[in-house]
Short mmCIF file of all heavy atoms in Angstrom, two decimals:
data_model
loop_
_atom_site.label_atom_id
_atom_site.label_comp_id
_atom_site.label_asym_id
_atom_site.label_seq_id
_atom_site.Cartn_x
_atom_site.Cartn_y
_atom_site.Cartn_z
N ALA B 266 9.02 2.72 -19.30
CA ALA B 266 8.05 2.47 -20.44
C ALA B 266 6.72 3.21 -20.15
O ALA B 266 5.68 2.63 -20.06
CB ALA B 266 7.78 0.97 -20.61
N ASN B 267 6.84 4.52 -19.88
CA ASN B 267 5.65 5.31 -19.63
C ASN B 267 5.72 6.67 -20.27
O ASN B 267 6.85 7.10 -20.56
CB ASN B 267 5.44 5.40 -18.10
CG ASN B 267 6.74 5.72 -17.38
OD1 ASN B 267 7.49 6.66 -17.78
ND2 ASN B 267 7.11 5.03 -16.32
N MET B 268 4.59 7.36 -20.39
CA MET B 268 4.57 8.67 -21.13
C MET B 268 5.43 9.71 -20.38
O MET B 268 5.96 10.60 -20.89
CB MET B 268 3.16 9.19 -21.24
CG MET B 268 2.37 8.40 -22.35
SD MET B 268 3.22 8.21 -23.88
CE MET B 268 3.12 9.89 -24.58
N LYS B 269 5.49 9.50 -19.00
CA LYS B 269 6.29 10.46 -18.22
C LYS B 269 7.68 10.56 -18.70
O LYS B 269 8.20 11.72 -18.80
CB LYS B 269 6.32 9.93 -16.77
CG LYS B 269 6.83 10.87 -15.76
CD LYS B 269 5.82 11.77 -15.29
CE LYS B 269 6.30 13.00 -14.50
NZ LYS B 269 5.36 14.07 -14.42
N TYR B 270 8.33 9.49 -19.13
CA TYR B 270 9.65 9.50 -19.64
C TYR B 270 9.70 10.36 -20.90
O TYR B 270 10.66 11.17 -21.07
CB TYR B 270 10.14 8.07 -19.91
CG TYR B 270 11.42 8.01 -20.70
CD1 TYR B 270 12.58 8.48 -20.17
CD2 TYR B 270 11.43 7.58 -22.05
CE1 TYR B 270 13.82 8.43 -20.92
CE2 TYR B 270 12.52 7.55 -22.78
CZ TYR B 270 13.71 8.01 -22.27
OH TYR B 270 14.90 7.96 -22.99
N ILE B 271 8.79 10.16 -21.77
CA ILE B 271 8.82 10.94 -23.05
C ILE B 271 8.56 12.41 -22.72
O ILE B 271 9.25 13.27 -23.32
CB ILE B 271 7.71 10.44 -24.00
CG1 ILE B 271 8.01 8.95 -24.37
CG2 ILE B 271 7.70 11.25 -25.27
CD1 ILE B 271 7.13 8.31 -25.42
N GLU B 272 7.72 12.72 -21.81
CA GLU B 272 7.48 14.10 -21.40
C GLU B 272 8.78 14.73 -20.85
O GLU B 272 9.14 15.84 -21.21
CB GLU B 272 6.39 14.15 -20.29
CG GLU B 272 4.99 14.11 -20.82
CD GLU B 272 4.03 13.90 -19.63
OE1 GLU B 272 4.28 14.40 -18.56
OE2 GLU B 272 2.97 13.27 -19.91
N LEU B 273 9.44 13.99 -19.95
CA LEU B 273 10.57 14.50 -19.32
C LEU B 273 11.76 14.75 -20.26
O LEU B 273 12.57 15.64 -20.08
CB LEU B 273 11.08 13.61 -18.18
CG LEU B 273 10.18 13.59 -16.89
CD1 LEU B 273 10.68 12.41 -15.91
CD2 LEU B 273 10.28 14.93 -16.16
N SER B 274 11.90 13.85 -21.28
CA SER B 274 13.10 14.01 -22.10
C SER B 274 12.78 14.72 -23.43
O SER B 274 13.67 15.06 -24.13
CB SER B 274 13.68 12.62 -22.38
OG SER B 274 12.70 11.68 -22.64
N GLY B 275 11.48 15.07 -23.64
CA GLY B 275 11.18 15.85 -24.83
C GLY B 275 11.63 15.29 -26.14
O GLY B 275 11.64 14.04 -26.28
N ASP B 276 12.08 16.15 -27.03
CA ASP B 276 12.51 15.74 -28.40
C ASP B 276 13.69 14.74 -28.37
O ASP B 276 13.83 13.93 -29.29
CB ASP B 276 12.87 16.95 -29.20
CG ASP B 276 11.66 17.76 -29.63
OD1 ASP B 276 10.51 17.18 -29.52
OD2 ASP B 276 11.83 18.92 -30.00
N SER B 277 14.53 14.88 -27.29
CA SER B 277 15.67 14.07 -27.27
C SER B 277 15.39 12.52 -27.26
O SER B 277 16.20 11.68 -27.60
CB SER B 277 16.47 14.30 -25.96
OG SER B 277 16.51 15.67 -25.74
N SER B 278 14.08 12.22 -26.87
CA SER B 278 13.76 10.78 -26.78
C SER B 278 13.49 10.17 -28.11
O SER B 278 13.36 8.97 -28.17
CB SER B 278 12.57 10.64 -25.83
OG SER B 278 11.46 11.25 -26.43
N GLU B 279 13.39 10.98 -29.19
CA GLU B 279 13.17 10.33 -30.51
C GLU B 279 14.16 9.28 -30.82
O GLU B 279 15.35 9.51 -30.73
CB GLU B 279 13.19 11.47 -31.59
CG GLU B 279 12.01 12.34 -31.65
CD GLU B 279 10.70 11.62 -31.98
OE1 GLU B 279 10.69 10.90 -32.99
OE2 GLU B 279 9.75 11.71 -31.18
N GLY B 280 13.72 8.15 -31.22
CA GLY B 280 14.58 7.03 -31.60
C GLY B 280 15.08 6.18 -30.49
O GLY B 280 15.74 5.14 -30.75
N VAL B 281 14.75 6.54 -29.25
CA VAL B 281 15.13 5.61 -28.18
C VAL B 281 14.32 4.34 -28.17
O VAL B 281 13.12 4.32 -28.52
CB VAL B 281 14.88 6.34 -26.77
CG1 VAL B 281 15.00 5.39 -25.62
CG2 VAL B 281 15.79 7.56 -26.63
N VAL B 282 15.06 3.24 -27.95
CA VAL B 282 14.44 1.94 -28.00
C VAL B 282 14.42 1.34 -26.60
O VAL B 282 15.26 1.55 -25.78
CB VAL B 282 15.27 1.01 -28.94
CG1 VAL B 282 14.76 -0.41 -28.93
CG2 VAL B 282 15.30 1.55 -30.35
N LEU B 283 13.32 0.65 -26.31
CA LEU B 283 13.23 -0.06 -25.06
C LEU B 283 12.26 -1.23 -25.07
O LEU B 283 11.37 -1.34 -25.90
CB LEU B 283 12.87 0.88 -23.91
CG LEU B 283 11.60 1.78 -23.99
CD1 LEU B 283 10.40 0.99 -23.55
CD2 LEU B 283 11.79 2.95 -23.01
#
Side-chain angles (χ1 to χ4, degrees):
Chain B
N267 44 48
M268 287 312 284
K269 190 86 194 160
Y270 165 70
I271 298 184
E272 279 168 31
L273 287 171
S274 40
D276 288 344
S277 320
S278 64
E279 283 298 305
V281 169
V282 174
L283 55 81

